[in-house]
Amino acid sequence: MKFVHETLPQRVRFASGAAAEALAAEVAAQDVRRLMVVAGTSERDLADRITAGLPVVHRHHDVAMHVPLELAQRARAAAAEWDADAVISVGGGSTTGLAKAIALTTGLPIIAVPTTYAGSEATPVWGLTENAVKTTGTDPRVLPRAIVYDAELTLSLPVELSVASGLNALAHCVDSLWAPRADPLNQALALEGARALRVGLPQVVAHPDAVEGREDALYGAYLSALSFASAGSGLHHKICHVLGGMFNLPHAQTHAVVLPHVLAFNAPGVPAAEQRLAEALGSRTAVDGLAELRSQLKAPHSLRDLGMPSAGIEEAAAAVVSAAPAGNPRPVTLEAITELVRNAWEGTDPR
Ligand code: NAD
């Protein structure tokens, strides 16, 4: 056995129903005194509630998906103007992304309080969008110093968004099995993450107001992000990145639609990992397990429904082939990827 695995420096606090207390403990541990709180408009009330007792100098609500550069610049200017010494982000991946944009140029520490299952809080990956082109990069400065997970904060996330976001997390797990830096440690995290998401997400759908399923889903989402941060982007993430950028598709829903098709394509190339994933998903094969879960969750089915034009299939496939990660378990040919994207566009059953 030979591999190199890097574990990222970050403290995580799981604190169901106790985000305010956990945040206060974290602020004290880091000895920060001038906090800038970042939260989007639908996350604002949650943020106000859990940061009420803290030394907040500025509250920033100017958040949009994929971090437009102008918004990043305004947020950085606000951090400087208010002389903030730390950023607290309360929200989904878009909000965490804005906090990361601040940290990228200022080096301010982030304490992340996630309210979706996107997982950005556990990765050192940043993204910025300028003139409709999204650039991503990796920088240790943007990795939040600490995360506070409180499943109660996800109770207000609508079921449909919870499902899409949860499948986005599952995609981190699945893609980690064959991503460029896949190793036994991130595979173990990915498989436990997949198991927890398979247990939690159906409960979120059946009992959206109960905290138990949301706890499992959040735990699974954290593990999924750890595995993704360590293993890197595999074929699935490259496809979603291309599609999202070309057709401005919603992030989590695109992952939810594309995942079964990439799994069906790659599974024959990784038989041992496929069997372990099948077990984690509680089924005979991984493809069946994902199909059964998706049907329980009434997951979104097709890229057509998300607004992608059929005329874009070939152009997207060509872009995927030229960006494909090295070492994918099966050859990434134009013919194969065109078929995969077409199937995802039509929403065919990959079984
Ligand atoms: P999002 O952050 O855009 O949230 C989706 C919607 O849900 C928003 O309107 C938001 O305000 C709302 N919302 C969030 N939490 C809520 C709650 N608890 N109750 C009610 N409403 C709530 O979507 P997302 O899927 O979390 O994040 C997507 C973004 O994150 C994309 O830009 C993606 O590229 C990025 N991302 C980055 C990484 C990384 O490692 N850098 C990883 C995953 C995702």
Side-chain angles (χ1 to χ4, degrees):
M1 196 182 263
K2 278 189 181 160
F3 63 89
V4 176
H5 180 95
E6 190 176 343
T7 299
L8 300 174
Q10 183 179 63
R11 180 161 40 227
V12 60
R13 295 174 188 259
F14 276 81
S16 280
E21 293 83 344
L23 254 183
E26 194 52 48
V27 165
Q30 292 195 27
D31 195 22
V32 283
R33 294 147 200 257
R34 297 186 60 80
L35 306 173
M36 171 165 169
V37 174
V38 177
T41 35
S42 38
E43 301 141 351
R44 188 177 181 153
D45 291 348
L46 295 174
D48 287 352
R49 183 156 58 75
I50 64 174
T51 58
L54 298 177
V56 175
V57 292
H58 177 57
R59 294 181 183 274
H60 199 85
H61 303 297
D62 199 8
V63 173
M65 195 154 82
H66 302 316
V67 196
L69 182 63
E70 317 79 79
L71 265 61
Q73 285 166 338
R74 285 209 286 273
R76 290 166 179 165
E81 183 189 340
W82 291 96
D83 193 23
D85 64 359
V87 180
I88 296 185
S89 62
V90 182
S94 301
T95 300
T96 314
L98 186 65
K100 286 178 163 183
I102 300 171
L104 184 63
T105 54
T106 62
L108 288 178
I110 301 172
I111 303 173
V113 187
T115 63
T116 70
Y117 309 122
S120 174
E121 63 279 1
T123 84
V125 179
W126 55 265
L128 279 171
T129 303
E130 187 176 13
N131 301 326
V133 178
K134 183 166 178 179
T135 309
T136 59
T138 299
D139 193 307
R141 277 179 304 180
V142 310
L143 178 75
R145 297 270 174 89
I147 310 174
V148 171
Y149 285 114
D150 175 353
E152 283 192 6
L153 303 180
T154 63
L155 289 172
S156 54
L157 190 66
V159 168
E160 248 179 51
L161 260 178
S162 302
V163 164
S165 190
L167 290 172
N168 181 193
L170 187 59
H172 294 325
C173 299
V174 174
D175 217 25
S176 293
L177 300 178
W178 48 63
R181 299 187 304 277
D183 67 37
L185 298 183
N186 49 45
Q187 287 194 346
L189 296 167
L191 292 164
E192 169 64 357
R195 186 205 59 76
L197 288 161
R198 190 261 300 175
V199 170
L201 292 174
Q203 293 182 62
V204 171
V205 171
H207 309 288
D209 299 330
V211 88
E212 287 78 12
R214 294 190 180 266
E215 280 181 333
D216 279 320
L218 208 50
Y219 166 67
Y222 171 59
L223 295 177
S224 85
L226 287 182
S227 61
F228 171 60
S230 169
S233 284
L235 179 63
H236 171 83
H237 278 79
K238 294 292 178 193
I239 294 175
C240 292
H241 186 83
V242 166
L243 294 172
M246 272 187 179
F247 310 109
N248 193 27
L249 304 180
H251 177 84
Q253 289 83 343
T254 305
H255 280 267
V257 167
V258 171
L259 183 61
H261 300 280
V262 181
L263 177 61
F265 177 67
N266 267 350
V270 285
E274 188 275 338
Q275 263 314 293
R276 293 177 73 196
L277 180 61
E279 212 175 293
L281 295 177
S283 194
R284 201 177 53 79
T285 72
V287 170
D288 284 347
L290 179 57
E292 285 152 18
L293 178 64
R294 283 173 45 81
S295 118
Q296 269 181 298
L297 302 180
K298 299 190 177 56
H301 268 288
S302 73
L303 294 173
R304 173 173 36 200
D305 290 348
L306 300 184
M308 175 178 161
S310 66
I313 292 173
E314 283 173 15
E315 189 194 351
V320 168
V321 172
S322 56
N328 191 64
R330 290 190 63 203
V332 182
T333 62
L334 183 59
E335 195 186 357
I337 300 301
T338 306
E339 189 186 341
L340 190 160
V341 176
R342 179 163 293 114
N343 288 340
W345 186 82
E346 287 173 359
T348 56
D349 184 340
R351 287 172 296 178

